[in-house]
Amino acid sequence: GQLLLGYLPESKLEAMQFKIHQCAVLLVVVLYGCCIPFSVDYNPVPKWIYHIPQSNEYMYIIGSAGKSISHEDAIAKARNNAIENISRAIFYKMYSRVQETDTQNYTRLREKHQAYSNSVIKRAIQDDMWIDHEGITGEYQIYILMKVPKK
């Protein structure tokens, strides 16, 4: 049969086939519409993920964590990772200075590092946070950008 506007079926069988065809077309349209996402979370990757900010006033450090038992726990792990990274950065900076003048006194350096590191960490501020829901950077991760005043 022909599918034209104003089409009149010649028999009950044709009328039934026409109705089935209409229902099938309607079903395909409805199902296709259900498969299209209504909103897509395009969460662009912040610049600081790949290029840590540089400043005369602050030292910037990134911490990250993957999936955890809860969202809050993952955020806490990312913050802790950032704090560990701050401590490491301070140690490397102190070690490189002391190494040239006093390589014999590594124990004293560790004690100084611990005291200084604790005071610096208390001044650390969370500057930004980004959650990679889609795994753009490789897998689900929570990233936290921390900054610490240099003085």
Side-chain angles (χ1 to χ4, degrees):
Q2 301 175 8
L3 182 60
L4 301 171
L5 290 176
Y7 167 70
L8 293 174
E10 295 179 14
S11 70
K12 285 186 177 189
L13 179 61
E14 256 184 72
M16 188 178 239
Q17 288 173 337
F18 183 70
K19 289 277 185 194
I20 290 172
H21 178 71
Q22 283 179 324
C23 288
V25 169
L26 181 63
L27 182 64
V28 167
V29 169
V30 168
L31 288 176
Y32 180 73
C34 292
C35 296
I36 298 174
F38 293 113
S39 67
V40 178
D41 182 17
Y42 291 105
N43 195 0
V45 179
K47 291 178 186 176
W48 56 264
I49 294 292
Y50 298 111
H51 304 287
I52 296 175
Q54 300 296 315
S55 166
N56 292 331
E57 298 175 35
Y58 295 100
M59 172 177 68
Y60 289 89
I61 299 287
I62 296 174
S64 65
K67 290 184 179 179
S68 192
I69 57 173
S70 71
H71 181 70
E72 292 76 21
D73 187 59
I75 291 172
K77 285 181 179 180
R79 279 192 192 113
N80 288 339
N81 180 248
I83 288 169
E84 289 169 9
N85 292 339
I86 290 169
S87 182
R88 246 183 249 115
I90 291 168
F91 179 77
Y92 292 137
K93 195 173 243 184
M94 289 175 79
Y95 184 74
S96 67
R97 288 180 184 161
V98 172
Q99 187 178 19
E100 296 169 5
T101 59
D102 188 12
T103 54
Q104 302 291 323
N105 218 334
Y106 185 78
T107 305
R108 197 172 76 186
L109 171 68
R110 291 296 277 171
E111 290 169 2
K112 282 183 179 181
H113 165 257
Q114 190 64 42
Y116 182 69
S117 183
N118 287 341
S119 72
V120 169
I121 288 168
K122 288 178 186 174
R123 296 180 289 142
I125 303 163
Q126 181 176 325
D127 191 52
D128 202 358
M129 179 173 76
W130 179 66
I131 302 171
D132 185 1
H133 293 285
E134 291 87 28
I136 295 169
T137 59
E139 62 182 324
Y140 173 92
Q141 287 281 319
I142 293 179
Y143 294 92
I144 291 186
L145 177 65
M146 302 284 284
K147 66 181 182 180
V148 179
K150 287 185 176 178
K151 295 181 180 183

